[in-house]
Amino acid sequence: MLKLYNSLTRMKEVFEPLGPPFVGMYVCGPTVYDEPHLGHAKSYISFDIIVRFLRAAGYRVRYVQNITDVGHLLDNEAGEDRILKKARLERLEPVEVAQKYENSYFRSMDRLNNLRPDISCRATGHIPEMLEMVQALIEKGYAYEEDGNVYFDVRKFAGYGKLSGRTLDELREGVRNEPAEGKRYFADFALWKKADAAHLMRWRSVWGMGFPGWHLECSVMAAKYLGESIDIHGGGLDNQFPHHECEIAQSEAASGKPFVKYWIHNNMVTVEGQKMSKSLGNFVTLGTLFERFTPMTVRFFVLQGHYRSPQDFSDQALEAAGKGFGKLARTISDLREKISRVPAEGKDVPEGPWGEYRERFFAFMEDDFNTAGAITVLFDLAKRIHSVLDTVPKTDLIQAERLFSFLSEDILGFRFQDVERYSSGSLESDLIALCIELRRECREQKLWTLADRIREGLMTMGISLEDGKDGTRWRKKT
RNA sequence: GGCGGCGUAGCCAAGUGGCUAAGGCGGAGGUCUGCAAAACCUCUAUUCAGCGGUUCGAAUCCGCUCGCCGCCUCCA
């Protein structure tokens, strides 16, 4: 029985999808105006785990993620948005900026081994649908037009504030900026903004040339691909208000139906104890991070925390995570060597001698995706496997490999080939075999210094040697 | 200022009313080994920021204090 924390009710609830076995899940994607960073890693790994686990639990998930490639205003008076600003700075078309960073985003997500969404949809590809929703909201009396801008009238929507737990009065106290011209009420938000010719990304509408408000794309694309009521909507905690609050208002006002059954928000990251921001100069892109830590180390690190807890990225913590991950990687490597078998696709879930571990793993995952707890089961299993590696029947080891692979690769999304051997018969493996043979002869003649030089030399090339009873084995250093 | 969250060993971190407070990293000792590495075994928080309260019983609930963080119409 899967329980998950619903931000809407602020409680853990039993997961009961609207139309099992199907699950519709929408996750707010990136605004593609810059390189992906640490926050994206934590966020999208967290949601990847949710998709993977739901599938492992038997659900048929449709995972939709948007790409925000259109105009959201910066604070400045020029009315410039992030993408347009970047386009000006890099001397690119806005579409080129969006494409460039979308590519970069997916490259990084691929390296983290996050599954691609089933539908990746761009805001700019859904302008007609957005215009329809704005029109519908005006016709139903939830929105009004003022000089080419269209605003949502939050006082008409009774539930405004239910997600973030704020009342309009509380919101008013927190107001720091003067409301924009033309708004009837301070909390009203833009559905459509007019744009002059200097604004490169603009579209024709019955209210004149303009561009859509930020919140609109998610309401429209979620409805288009998942229906008016969806099971799960995910995103960063920083988007809970106002973005998701506004999505609810638009969608529910337009459809008259509940928009989302379960809201899931992941928490934020800090860097060496500080908020990550460009102004503090501690902004870490994934490209930079991957120069120092492997994507799997980052994935392991993220999963050792909980998605609803904040997480601090520090060198010390990442290094520790890398070592821990290496231990898991060696386990499956040892296991596969022992059973002379590469992992099969579509593996079964054994009920046999390892069933207890599977149950414990699932119990953690079913409790609001407690990946940290699930990983402890993996370590227990690894320890058990190593203890019995030379004593139990091969059939048991085959089952162990299937289970370990199912839990760690399929569900947690780890990828272990980094520590596996070069394919046999390759130049590398032949050369390494030669070194090992030469070292063996040195050792027979007790030429320890020379033998150690060979071992250390290989070590500096990232190859570690391990002497065992059955001879020397080697593997790529993790 | 308003709203919300967090504070668990040297580091990371799970646990949110009741057996001996998971696990990883690090550290100590041991088995194995020419030495290593890997693996395995043992040990490493009388205690969960502090103080007070509720309870037969609290890291877990309540109050206050201290510290840190997020949101308040850019942000995963």
Side-chain angles (χ1 to χ4, degrees):
Chain A
M1 188 171 66
L2 172 61
K3 287 198 276 188
L4 52 80
Y5 182 86
N6 189 350
S7 303
L8 188 60
T9 56
R10 283 172 273 285
M11 289 190 303
K12 274 187 199 174
E13 296 178 13
V14 175
F15 180 63
E16 289 170 336
L18 299 165
F22 300 98
V23 173
M25 175 161 158
Y26 185 94
V27 172
C28 285
T31 302
V32 282
Y33 71 99
D34 208 346
E35 293 293 337
H37 54 70
L38 289 183
H40 294 109
K42 177 170 168 71
S43 181
Y44 296 114
I45 289 170
S46 300
F47 291 114
D48 183 59
I49 290 299
I50 292 173
V51 172
R52 286 172 179 272
F53 185 69
L54 289 173
R55 286 184 179 149
Y59 292 108
R60 286 187 55 187
V61 182
R62 179 182 287 171
Y63 178 24
V64 179
Q65 200 183 89
N66 62 294
I67 294 288
T68 298
D69 60 349
V70 63
H72 303 306
L73 297 177
L74 289 166
D75 279 339
N76 65 31
E77 285 297 309
E80 194 173 42
D81 76 44
R82 292 179 171 287
I83 292 171
L84 292 179
K85 182 180 179 189
K86 198 76 173 189
R88 181 167 55 75
L89 292 175
E90 298 195 0
R91 301 185 67 86
L92 297 171
E93 283 291 319
V95 174
E96 280 182 290
V97 171
Q99 186 68 61
K100 174 181 171 182
Y101 292 110
E102 180 185 326
N103 291 348
S104 181
Y105 167 75
F106 278 119
R107 248 194 316 274
S108 288
M109 294 303 114
D110 289 346
R111 294 188 69 190
L112 288 168
N113 207 27
N114 286 342
L115 299 170
R116 294 277 181 125
D118 299 302
I119 297 175
S120 169
C121 42
R122 297 180 191 177
T124 53
H126 299 75
I127 300 295
E129 292 91 336
M130 293 195 225
L131 292 171
E132 281 172 28
M133 184 174 275
V134 176
Q135 190 64 55
L137 288 169
I138 291 174
E139 284 166 13
K140 291 190 173 191
Y142 286 106
Y144 57 89
E145 188 247 331
E146 184 69 50
D147 186 31
N149 296 307
V150 182
Y151 295 103
F152 187 92
D153 188 345
V154 299
R155 286 176 297 184
K156 293 271 172 57
F157 183 75
Y160 193 81
K162 65 183 175 183
L163 177 65
S164 51
R166 298 156 202 239
T167 64
L168 289 174
D169 285 342
E170 285 168 359
L171 286 172
R172 185 193 288 282
E173 295 201 45
V175 165
R176 291 181 304 195
N177 304 333
E178 287 299 308
E181 293 273 319
K183 280 190 190 180
R184 290 182 190 167
Y185 187 63
F186 76 97
D188 291 352
F189 58 89
L191 296 170
W192 187 261
K193 294 284 284 182
K194 74 172 174 185
D196 59 28
H199 201 98
L200 293 177
M201 284 196 289
R202 58 189 199 138
W203 291 265
R204 195 174 306 284
S205 80
V206 295
W207 315 285
M209 296 299 283
F211 60 93
W214 172 38
H215 316 302
L216 198 55
E217 59 181 274
C218 291
S219 286
V220 161
M221 294 190 284
K224 178 167 182 175
Y225 299 114
L226 297 170
E228 288 174 329
S229 292
I230 69 178
D231 293 299
I232 296 173
H233 188 128
L237 199 54
D238 53 343
N239 274 335
Q240 188 174 38
F241 188 89
H243 183 52
H244 295 154
E245 196 70 65
C246 295
E247 279 185 50
I248 292 174
Q250 293 164 346
S251 293
E252 298 194 348
S255 74
K257 297 173 186 164
F259 176 40
V260 172
K261 189 163 183 191
Y262 304 98
W263 280 94
I264 299 181
H265 291 95
N266 72 281
N267 217 135
M268 317 301 279
V269 304
T270 53
V271 177
E272 303 284 354
Q274 280 194 303
K275 180 185 178 173
M276 183 173 70
S277 76
K278 288 185 176 166
S279 57
L280 287 172
N282 63 349
F283 196 84
V284 182
T285 67
L286 294 179
T288 307
L289 186 70
F290 292 162
E291 288 170 9
R292 303 181 48 226
F293 301 101
T294 67
M296 283 304 109
T297 292
V298 175
R299 187 176 184 93
F300 181 86
F301 174 68
V302 168
L303 294 181
Q304 265 205 315
H306 189 91
Y307 76 91
R308 283 194 289 116
S309 299
Q311 193 160 33
D312 184 52
F313 278 71
S314 66
D315 283 4
Q316 195 182 15
L318 262 315
E319 279 161 20
K323 289 180 180 171
F325 178 74
K327 194 173 206 172
L328 296 182
R330 282 190 296 275
T331 302
I332 201 149
S333 165
D334 290 346
L335 207 42
R336 283 173 181 165
E337 184 182 13
K338 204 80 183 172
I339 63 180
S340 313
R341 179 174 164 277
V342 288
E345 295 297 322
K347 63 213 64 135
D348 302 328
V349 183
E351 300 290 333
W354 313 98
E356 169 216 341
Y357 293 94
R358 181 188 186 277
E359 279 175 31
R360 285 171 53 210
F361 184 96
F362 268 67
F364 276 118
M365 291 299 287
E366 285 176 347
D367 182 15
D368 197 31
F369 312 104
N370 186 345
T371 52
I375 284 173
T376 69
V377 179
L378 242 32
F379 278 107
D380 281 355
L381 181 55
K383 190 169 283 189
R384 180 79 191 141
I385 287 169
H386 273 126
S387 307
V388 302
L389 203 54
D390 295 315
T391 55
V392 301
K394 193 169 170 179
T395 51
D396 283 4
L397 295 182
I398 289 170
Q399 286 201 318
E401 190 275 335
R402 287 190 173 191
L403 180 64
F404 198 93
S405 171
F406 177 63
L407 302 181
S408 60
E409 294 183 306
D410 294 8
I411 296 180
L412 295 184
F414 292 133
R415 205 166 33 201
F416 294 121
Q417 62 263 45
D418 294 351
V419 294
E420 286 171 20
R421 287 155 179 67
Y422 296 108
S423 57
S424 63
S426 70
L427 181 59
E428 287 92 343
S429 67
D430 289 350
L431 287 170
I432 294 165
L434 177 62
C435 291
I436 289 174
E437 176 56 20
L438 293 173
R439 179 164 168 274
R440 190 186 62 77
E441 288 175 20
C442 292
R443 293 176 72 210
E444 273 179 3
Q445 296 169 46
K446 302 203 188 302
L447 299 171
W448 306 125
T449 313
L450 197 52
D452 290 349
R453 264 183 63 196
I454 293 172
R455 185 171 65 199
E456 282 150 23
L458 286 171
M459 183 61 87
T460 61
M461 291 175 236
I463 304 297
S464 65
L465 299 188
E466 296 169 9
D467 298 326
K469 280 200 164 60
D470 312 321
T472 298
R473 309 184 317 149
W474 64 272
R475 63 175 121 217
K476 287 194 231 178
K477 220 165 45 172
T478 51

